[in-house]
Amino acid sequence: FLARGTSVGYNDILVRVCAVALREHPAANARLAEGGIEHLDRANVGVAVDTERGLLVPVVHNADRLTIPGIAAETARLVAAARSGRVAPDDLGGGTFTVTNLGMFGVEAFTPVINLPECCILGVGMIVRKPVIVDQDDTIVVRSRLTLSLVFDHRVIDGAPAARFLDRIVQLIENPMLLLTSE
């Protein structure tokens, strides 16, 4: 459950979504190492944080083993530590994947830069209400839309496995009940 004063935000849910997708798509949960490609057995998801000293990426370690409230509490701790300048070196290392969100700045889409040695980063834009065609009869309705940009290192993962990984992220966002059935 949540610690007093901690709330769940979109980024916390996205960290959980990405952690589940990383566990299901091990080719995306890898990084470039000296001896070649290192496949990781834990999903350690970094969250890009804007600080007075510049961008920092504290890592939610073992995010695939945490609940959304657990991720929210850990993310709140990490963001506070990063912004206060008291983040521990261990909290900045060991990431396997990064989520960066510019939606709060009104950015709909962007291309993030990979946080090496990780092989992927997910750019998240702002949620926008847009008209969408929903059926064969060309019915138009207004829906909330979110642009995701997955940038990946082709030395570690090819385009097709990366696309399947991104598709799984989309499935989990569009059907959050799937998070309850994922191991």
Side-chain angles (χ1 to χ4, degrees):
F1 297 86
L2 293 175
R4 184 171 292 249
T6 301
S7 60
V8 172
Y10 290 117
N11 283 342
D12 304 316
I13 296 166
L14 289 169
V15 167
R16 177 65 183 156
V17 162
C18 290
V20 168
L22 286 165
R23 190 176 54 228
E24 295 174 0
H25 295 268
N29 196 34
R31 58 182 165 203
L32 201 53
E34 272 189 40
I37 298 170
E38 177 185 10
H39 291 275
L40 305 151
D41 60 355
R42 299 275 35 104
N44 299 330
V45 180
V47 179
V49 178
D50 181 30
T51 74
E52 288 182 10
R53 299 178 327 176
L55 186 68
L56 293 177
V57 184
V59 177
V60 179
H61 289 88
N62 300 310
D64 56 324
R65 292 184 174 206
L66 297 175
T67 62
I68 292 173
I71 289 168
E74 180 64 357
T75 300
R77 181 189 75 77
L78 291 167
V79 169
R83 290 195 173 138
S84 70
R86 296 189 183 112
V87 66
D90 285 348
D91 288 334
L92 295 173
T96 62
F97 182 84
T98 296
V99 174
T100 180
N101 186 341
L102 296 182
M104 70 283 288
F105 297 112
V107 175
E108 285 187 45
F110 64 104
T111 305
V113 176
I114 298 169
N115 185 25
L116 295 174
E118 298 169 12
C119 79
C120 301
I121 185 169
L122 183 70
V124 181
M126 80 177 191
I127 298 170
V128 184
R129 306 265 304 150
K130 291 186 177 184
V132 179
I133 298 172
V134 294
D135 58 25
Q136 297 285 13
D137 296 326
D138 294 338
T139 304
I140 298 173
V141 298
V142 176
R143 294 267 168 89
S144 295
R145 307 292 288 180
L146 174 69
T147 299
L148 302 174
S149 302
L150 181 69
V151 177
F152 54 95
D153 187 338
H154 276 277
R155 295 173 299 174
V156 180
I157 186 172
D158 288 332
R164 287 189 289 273
F165 170 64
L166 181 58
D167 183 55
R168 183 58 173 160
I169 290 171
V170 170
Q171 289 172 14
L172 292 167
I173 290 170
E174 291 179 346
N175 304 290
M177 294 302 285
L178 293 174
L179 291 172
L180 299 176
T181 60
S182 61
E183 296 279 327

CSV table of all heavy atoms in Angstrom, one decimal, residues 34-85:
chain,number,residue,atom,x,y,z
A,34,GLU,N,31.0,-5.3,-22.5
A,34,GLU,CA,32.4,-5.5,-23.1
A,34,GLU,C,32.4,-6.8,-23.9
A,34,GLU,O,33.0,-6.8,-25.0
A,34,GLU,CB,33.5,-5.5,-22.0
A,34,GLU,CG,33.9,-4.1,-21.8
A,34,GLU,CD,35.2,-4.1,-20.9
A,34,GLU,OE1,36.1,-5.0,-21.1
A,34,GLU,OE2,35.3,-3.2,-20.0
A,35,GLY,N,31.9,-7.9,-23.4
A,35,GLY,CA,32.0,-9.2,-24.0
A,35,GLY,C,30.9,-9.4,-25.0
A,35,GLY,O,30.8,-10.5,-25.6
A,36,GLY,N,30.0,-8.5,-25.2
A,36,GLY,CA,28.9,-8.7,-26.2
A,36,GLY,C,27.6,-8.2,-25.5
A,36,GLY,O,27.6,-7.2,-24.8
A,37,ILE,N,26.5,-8.9,-25.8
A,37,ILE,CA,25.2,-8.5,-25.3
A,37,ILE,C,24.9,-9.3,-24.0
A,37,ILE,O,25.1,-10.5,-23.9
A,37,ILE,CB,24.1,-8.9,-26.4
A,37,ILE,CG1,24.4,-8.1,-27.7
A,37,ILE,CG2,22.7,-8.6,-25.8
A,37,ILE,CD1,23.5,-8.5,-28.8
A,38,GLU,N,24.5,-8.5,-23.0
A,38,GLU,CA,24.2,-9.0,-21.7
A,38,GLU,C,22.7,-9.0,-21.5
A,38,GLU,O,22.1,-8.0,-21.6
A,38,GLU,CB,24.9,-8.2,-20.6
A,38,GLU,CG,24.5,-8.6,-19.2
A,38,GLU,CD,25.1,-7.6,-18.2
A,38,GLU,OE1,25.6,-6.5,-18.5
A,38,GLU,OE2,25.0,-8.0,-17.0
A,39,HIS,N,22.1,-10.2,-21.4
A,39,HIS,CA,20.7,-10.4,-21.2
A,39,HIS,C,20.5,-10.4,-19.7
A,39,HIS,O,21.1,-11.2,-19.0
A,39,HIS,CB,20.1,-11.6,-21.9
A,39,HIS,CG,20.1,-11.5,-23.3
A,39,HIS,ND1,19.1,-10.9,-24.0
A,39,HIS,CD2,21.0,-11.9,-24.3
A,39,HIS,CE1,19.3,-10.9,-25.3
A,39,HIS,NE2,20.5,-11.5,-25.5
A,40,LEU,N,19.5,-9.6,-19.2
A,40,LEU,CA,19.3,-9.4,-17.7
A,40,LEU,C,18.1,-10.2,-17.3
A,40,LEU,O,17.1,-10.3,-18.0
A,40,LEU,CB,19.3,-8.0,-17.4
A,40,LEU,CG,20.5,-7.2,-18.0
A,40,LEU,CD1,20.2,-5.8,-18.3
A,40,LEU,CD2,21.6,-7.3,-17.0
A,41,ASP,N,18.2,-10.7,-16.0
A,41,ASP,CA,17.0,-11.4,-15.5
A,41,ASP,C,16.1,-10.6,-14.7
A,41,ASP,O,15.0,-11.1,-14.2
A,41,ASP,CB,17.5,-12.7,-14.7
A,41,ASP,CG,18.4,-12.3,-13.6
A,41,ASP,OD1,18.7,-11.1,-13.4
A,41,ASP,OD2,18.7,-13.2,-12.8
A,42,ARG,N,16.4,-9.3,-14.4
A,42,ARG,CA,15.6,-8.4,-13.7
A,42,ARG,C,15.3,-7.2,-14.5
A,42,ARG,O,16.1,-6.8,-15.3
A,42,ARG,CB,16.2,-7.9,-12.4
A,42,ARG,CG,16.6,-9.1,-11.4
A,42,ARG,CD,15.4,-9.5,-10.5
A,42,ARG,NE,14.1,-9.5,-10.9
A,42,ARG,CZ,13.4,-10.6,-11.2
A,42,ARG,NH1,13.9,-11.8,-11.2
A,42,ARG,NH2,12.1,-10.5,-11.5
A,43,ALA,N,14.1,-6.6,-14.4
A,43,ALA,CA,13.8,-5.4,-15.1
A,43,ALA,C,14.0,-4.2,-14.1
A,43,ALA,O,13.3,-4.0,-13.2
A,43,ALA,CB,12.3,-5.4,-15.5
A,44,ASN,N,15.1,-3.5,-14.3
A,44,ASN,CA,15.5,-2.3,-13.6
A,44,ASN,C,15.2,-1.1,-14.4
A,44,ASN,O,16.0,-0.8,-15.3
A,44,ASN,CB,17.0,-2.3,-13.2
A,44,ASN,CG,17.3,-3.5,-12.3
A,44,ASN,OD1,16.4,-4.0,-11.6
A,44,ASN,ND2,18.5,-4.0,-12.4
A,45,VAL,N,14.1,-0.4,-14.1
A,45,VAL,CA,13.6,0.6,-15.0
A,45,VAL,C,14.0,2.0,-14.5
A,45,VAL,O,13.6,2.4,-13.4
A,45,VAL,CB,12.1,0.5,-15.2
A,45,VAL,CG1,11.5,1.6,-16.1
A,45,VAL,CG2,11.7,-0.8,-15.7
A,46,GLY,N,14.7,2.7,-15.3
A,46,GLY,CA,15.1,4.1,-15.0
A,46,GLY,C,14.0,5.1,-15.4
A,46,GLY,O,13.3,4.9,-16.3
A,47,VAL,N,14.0,6.2,-14.6
A,47,VAL,CA,13.0,7.2,-14.8
A,47,VAL,C,13.7,8.5,-14.9
A,47,VAL,O,14.4,9.0,-14.0
A,47,VAL,CB,12.0,7.3,-13.6
A,47,VAL,CG1,11.0,8.4,-13.9
A,47,VAL,CG2,11.2,6.0,-13.5
A,48,ALA,N,13.6,9.2,-16.1
A,48,ALA,CA,14.4,10.4,-16.3
A,48,ALA,C,13.7,11.5,-15.5
A,48,ALA,O,12.5,11.7,-15.4
A,48,ALA,CB,14.3,10.8,-17.8
A,49,VAL,N,14.6,12.2,-14.7
A,49,VAL,CA,14.2,13.3,-13.8
A,49,VAL,C,14.9,14.6,-14.1
A,49,VAL,O,16.1,14.6,-14.2
A,49,VAL,CB,14.4,12.9,-12.3
A,49,VAL,CG1,14.0,14.0,-11.4
A,49,VAL,CG2,13.7,11.6,-12.0
A,50,ASP,N,14.2,15.6,-14.3
A,50,ASP,CA,14.7,17.0,-14.6
A,50,ASP,C,15.1,17.5,-13.2
A,50,ASP,O,14.3,17.6,-12.3
A,50,ASP,CB,13.7,17.8,-15.2
A,50,ASP,CG,14.2,19.2,-15.5
A,50,ASP,OD1,15.4,19.4,-15.8
A,50,ASP,OD2,13.4,20.2,-15.5
A,51,THR,N,16.4,17.9,-13.0
A,51,THR,CA,16.9,18.5,-11.8
A,51,THR,C,17.6,19.8,-12.1
A,51,THR,O,18.0,20.0,-13.3
A,51,THR,CB,17.9,17.5,-11.0
A,51,THR,OG1,19.1,17.5,-11.7
A,51,THR,CG2,17.3,16.1,-10.9
A,52,GLU,N,18.0,20.5,-11.1
A,52,GLU,CA,18.7,21.8,-11.3
A,52,GLU,C,20.1,21.5,-11.9
A,52,GLU,O,20.7,22.3,-12.5
A,52,GLU,CB,18.9,22.5,-10.0
A,52,GLU,CG,17.6,23.2,-9.5
A,52,GLU,CD,17.7,24.0,-8.3
A,52,GLU,OE1,18.9,24.2,-7.8
A,52,GLU,OE2,16.7,24.4,-7.7
A,53,ARG,N,20.6,20.3,-11.6
A,53,ARG,CA,22.0,19.9,-12.1
A,53,ARG,C,21.9,19.2,-13.5
A,53,ARG,O,22.9,18.8,-14.0
A,53,ARG,CB,22.6,18.9,-11.1
A,53,ARG,CG,22.8,19.5,-9.7
A,53,ARG,CD,23.5,18.5,-8.8
A,53,ARG,NE,23.0,17.2,-9.1
A,53,ARG,CZ,23.5,16.1,-8.5
A,53,ARG,NH1,24.3,16.2,-7.5
A,53,ARG,NH2,23.0,14.9,-8.8
A,54,GLY,N,20.7,19.1,-14.0
A,54,GLY,CA,20.5,18.5,-15.3
A,54,GLY,C,19.7,17.2,-15.2
A,54,GLY,O,19.2,16.9,-14.1
A,55,LEU,N,19.7,16.4,-16.3
A,55,LEU,CA,18.9,15.2,-16.3
A,55,LEU,C,19.6,14.1,-15.5
A,55,LEU,O,20.8,13.8,-15.7
A,55,LEU,CB,18.7,14.8,-17.7
A,55,LEU,CG,17.7,13.6,-17.9
A,55,LEU,CD1,16.3,14.0,-17.6
A,55,LEU,CD2,17.8,13.2,-19.4
A,56,LEU,N,18.9,13.5,-14.6
A,56,LEU,CA,19.4,12.3,-13.9
A,56,LEU,C,18.4,11.1,-14.2
A,56,LEU,O,17.2,11.4,-14.4
A,56,LEU,CB,19.5,12.5,-12.4
A,56,LEU,CG,20.5,13.5,-12.0
A,56,LEU,CD1,20.5,13.7,-10.4
A,56,LEU,CD2,21.9,13.1,-12.4
A,57,VAL,N,18.9,9.9,-14.1
A,57,VAL,CA,18.0,8.7,-14.3
A,57,VAL,C,18.1,7.8,-13.2
A,57,VAL,O,18.9,6.8,-13.2
A,57,VAL,CB,18.3,8.1,-15.7
A,57,VAL,CG1,17.4,6.9,-15.9
A,57,VAL,CG2,18.3,9.0,-16.8
A,58,PRO,N,17.4,8.0,-12.1
A,58,PRO,CA,17.4,7.0,-11.0
A,58,PRO,C,16.6,5.8,-11.4
A,58,PRO,O,15.8,5.9,-12.3
A,58,PRO,CB,16.7,7.8,-9.8
A,58,PRO,CG,16.0,8.9,-10.4
A,58,PRO,CD,16.6,9.2,-11.7
A,59,VAL,N,17.0,4.7,-10.9
A,59,VAL,CA,16.5,3.4,-11.3
A,59,VAL,C,15.6,2.7,-10.3
A,59,VAL,O,16.0,2.6,-9.1
A,59,VAL,CB,17.7,2.4,-11.7
A,59,VAL,CG1,17.2,1.1,-12.1
A,59,VAL,CG2,18.6,3.1,-12.8
A,60,VAL,N,14.5,2.3,-10.7
A,60,VAL,CA,13.6,1.4,-9.9
A,60,VAL,C,14.1,0.0,-10.1
A,60,VAL,O,13.7,-0.6,-11.1
A,60,VAL,CB,12.1,1.6,-10.3
A,60,VAL,CG1,11.2,0.7,-9.4
A,60,VAL,CG2,11.7,3.0,-10.2
A,61,HIS,N,14.9,-0.5,-9.1
A,61,HIS,CA,15.4,-1.8,-9.3
A,61,HIS,C,14.3,-2.9,-9.0
A,61,HIS,O,13.4,-2.7,-8.2
A,61,HIS,CB,16.6,-2.0,-8.3
A,61,HIS,CG,17.8,-1.3,-8.7
A,61,HIS,ND1,18.0,0.0,-8.3
A,61,HIS,CD2,18.8,-1.6,-9.5
A,61,HIS,CE1,19.1,0.5,-8.8
A,61,HIS,NE2,19.7,-0.5,-9.5
A,62,ASN,N,14.4,-4.0,-9.8
A,62,ASN,CA,13.4,-5.1,-9.7
A,62,ASN,C,12.0,-4.6,-9.8
A,62,ASN,O,11.1,-5.1,-9.1
A,62,ASN,CB,13.6,-5.8,-8.4
A,62,ASN,CG,15.0,-6.4,-8.2
A,62,ASN,OD1,15.5,-7.1,-9.1
A,62,ASN,ND2,15.6,-6.2,-7.1
A,63,ALA,N,11.8,-3.7,-10.8
A,63,ALA,CA,10.4,-3.1,-11.0
A,63,ALA,C,9.4,-4.2,-11.4
A,63,ALA,O,8.2,-4.1,-11.1
A,63,ALA,CB,10.5,-2.0,-12.1
A,64,ASP,N,9.9,-5.3,-12.0
A,64,ASP,CA,9.1,-6.4,-12.4
A,64,ASP,C,8.5,-7.2,-11.2
A,64,ASP,O,7.6,-8.0,-11.3
A,64,ASP,CB,9.8,-7.3,-13.4
A,64,ASP,CG,11.1,-7.9,-12.9
A,64,ASP,OD1,11.8,-7.1,-12.2
A,64,ASP,OD2,11.4,-9.0,-13.2
A,65,ARG,N,9.1,-7.0,-10.0
A,65,ARG,CA,8.7,-7.7,-8.8
A,65,ARG,C,7.9,-6.8,-7.9
A,65,ARG,O,7.4,-7.2,-6.8
A,65,ARG,CB,9.9,-8.2,-8.1
A,65,ARG,CG,10.6,-9.3,-8.8
A,65,ARG,CD,11.7,-9.9,-8.0
A,65,ARG,NE,12.2,-11.0,-8.7
A,65,ARG,CZ,12.9,-12.0,-8.2
A,65,ARG,NH1,13.0,-12.0,-6.9
A,65,ARG,NH2,13.3,-13.0,-8.9
A,66,LEU,N,7.7,-5.5,-8.3
A,66,LEU,CA,7.0,-4.5,-7.4
A,66,LEU,C,5.6,-4.3,-7.9
A,66,LEU,O,5.3,-4.4,-9.1
A,66,LEU,CB,7.7,-3.2,-7.4
A,66,LEU,CG,9.2,-3.2,-6.8
A,66,LEU,CD1,9.8,-1.8,-7.0
A,66,LEU,CD2,9.1,-3.6,-5.4
A,67,THR,N,4.7,-4.0,-7.0
A,67,THR,CA,3.4,-3.6,-7.4
A,67,THR,C,3.4,-2.1,-7.8
A,67,THR,O,4.4,-1.4,-7.6
A,67,THR,CB,2.4,-3.7,-6.1
A,67,THR,OG1,2.9,-2.8,-5.1
A,67,THR,CG2,2.4,-5.1,-5.6
A,68,ILE,N,2.3,-1.7,-8.4
A,68,ILE,CA,2.2,-0.3,-8.8
A,68,ILE,C,2.4,0.6,-7.6
A,68,ILE,O,3.2,1.6,-7.6
A,68,ILE,CB,1.0,0.0,-9.6
A,68,ILE,CG1,1.1,-0.7,-11.0
A,68,ILE,CG2,0.8,1.5,-9.8
A,68,ILE,CD1,-0.2,-0.6,-11.8
A,69,PRO,N,1.7,0.4,-6.4
A,69,PRO,CA,2.0,1.2,-5.3
A,69,PRO,C,3.4,1.2,-4.8
A,69,PRO,O,4.0,2.2,-4.4
A,69,PRO,CB,1.0,0.7,-4.2
A,69,PRO,CG,-0.1,0.0,-5.0
A,69,PRO,CD,0.6,-0.5,-6.2
A,70,GLY,N,4.1,0.0,-4.9
A,70,GLY,CA,5.5,-0.1,-4.5
A,70,GLY,C,6.4,0.7,-5.4
A,70,GLY,O,7.3,1.3,-5.0
A,71,ILE,N,6.0,0.6,-6.7
A,71,ILE,CA,6.8,1.5,-7.7
A,71,ILE,C,6.6,2.9,-7.4
A,71,ILE,O,7.5,3.7,-7.4
A,71,ILE,CB,6.4,1.1,-9.1
A,71,ILE,CG1,6.9,-0.3,-9.5
A,71,ILE,CG2,6.8,2.1,-10.1
A,71,ILE,CD1,6.3,-0.9,-10.8
A,72,ALA,N,5.3,3.3,-7.1
A,72,ALA,CA,5.0,4.7,-6.8
A,72,ALA,C,5.8,5.2,-5.6
A,72,ALA,O,6.4,6.3,-5.6
A,72,ALA,CB,3.5,4.9,-6.6
A,73,ALA,N,5.9,4.4,-4.6
A,73,ALA,CA,6.7,4.8,-3.4
A,73,ALA,C,8.2,4.9,-3.7
A,73,ALA,O,8.8,5.9,-3.3
A,73,ALA,CB,6.4,3.8,-2.2
A,74,GLU,N,8.7,4.0,-4.4
A,74,GLU,CA,10.1,4.0,-4.8
A,74,GLU,C,10.4,5.1,-5.7
A,74,GLU,O,11.4,5.8,-5.6
A,74,GLU,CB,10.5,2.6,-5.4
A,74,GLU,CG,12.0,2.6,-5.8
A,74,GLU,CD,13.0,2.7,-4.6
A,74,GLU,OE1,12.6,2.9,-3.4
A,74,GLU,OE2,14.2,2.6,-4.9
A,75,THR,N,9.6,5.4,-6.7
A,75,THR,CA,9.8,6.5,-7.6
A,75,THR,C,9.7,7.8,-6.9
A,75,THR,O,10.6,8.7,-7.1
A,75,THR,CB,8.7,6.5,-8.7
A,75,THR,OG1,8.8,5.2,-9.4
A,75,THR,CG2,8.9,7.6,-9.7
A,76,ALA,N,8.8,8.0,-6.0
A,76,ALA,CA,8.7,9.2,-5.2
A,76,ALA,C,10.0,9.4,-4.4
A,76,ALA,O,10.6,10.5,-4.3
A,76,ALA,CB,7.5,9.2,-4.2
A,77,ARG,N,10.5,8.4,-3.8
A,77,ARG,CA,11.8,8.5,-3.0
A,77,ARG,C,13.0,8.9,-4.0
A,77,ARG,O,13.8,9.7,-3.7
A,77,ARG,CB,12.1,7.1,-2.4
A,77,ARG,CG,13.4,7.1,-1.5
A,77,ARG,CD,13.8,5.7,-1.1
A,77,ARG,NE,14.3,4.9,-2.1
A,77,ARG,CZ,15.6,5.0,-2.6
A,77,ARG,NH1,16.4,5.9,-2.1
A,77,ARG,NH2,16.0,4.2,-3.5
A,78,LEU,N,13.0,8.2,-5.1
A,78,LEU,CA,14.1,8.4,-6.0
A,78,LEU,C,14.1,9.9,-6.6
A,78,LEU,O,15.1,10.5,-6.8
A,78,LEU,CB,14.1,7.4,-7.2
A,78,LEU,CG,14.5,6.0,-6.8
A,78,LEU,CD1,14.1,5.0,-7.9
A,78,LEU,CD2,15.9,5.9,-6.4
A,79,VAL,N,12.9,10.3,-7.0
A,79,VAL,CA,12.7,11.7,-7.6
A,79,VAL,C,13.1,12.7,-6.5
A,79,VAL,O,13.8,13.7,-6.8
A,79,VAL,CB,11.3,11.9,-8.1
A,79,VAL,CG1,11.1,13.3,-8.5
A,79,VAL,CG2,11.1,11.0,-9.3
A,80,ALA,N,12.6,12.5,-5.3
A,80,ALA,CA,13.0,13.5,-4.2
A,80,ALA,C,14.5,13.5,-4.0
A,80,ALA,O,15.1,14.6,-3.9
A,80,ALA,CB,12.3,13.1,-3.0
A,81,ALA,N,15.1,12.3,-4.0
A,81,ALA,CA,16.6,12.3,-3.8
A,81,ALA,C,17.3,12.9,-4.9
A,81,ALA,O,18.3,13.7,-4.7
A,81,ALA,CB,17.0,10.8,-3.6
A,82,ALA,N,16.9,12.7,-6.2
A,82,ALA,CA,17.5,13.3,-7.3
A,82,ALA,C,17.4,14.8,-7.3
A,82,ALA,O,18.4,15.5,-7.6
A,82,ALA,CB,16.9,12.7,-8.6
A,83,ARG,N,16.2,15.3,-7.0
A,83,ARG,CA,16.0,16.7,-7.1
A,83,ARG,C,16.7,17.5,-5.9
A,83,ARG,O,17.1,18.6,-6.0
A,83,ARG,CB,14.5,17.0,-7.1
A,83,ARG,CG,13.9,16.7,-8.4
A,83,ARG,CD,12.6,17.2,-8.7
A,83,ARG,NE,12.2,16.9,-10.0
A,83,ARG,CZ,10.9,16.6,-10.4
A,83,ARG,NH1,10.0,16.5,-9.4
A,83,ARG,NH2,10.7,16.3,-11.6
A,84,SER,N,16.9,16.8,-4.8
A,84,SER,CA,17.6,17.4,-3.6
A,84,SER,C,19.1,17.3,-3.7
A,84,SER,O,19.8,17.8,-2.9
A,84,SER,CB,17.1,16.7,-2.3
A,84,SER,OG,17.6,15.4,-2.2
A,85,GLY,N,19.6,16.5,-4.7
A,85,GLY,CA,21.0,16.3,-4.9
A,85,GLY,C,21.6,15.3,-4.0
A,85,GLY,O,22.8,15.2,-3.8
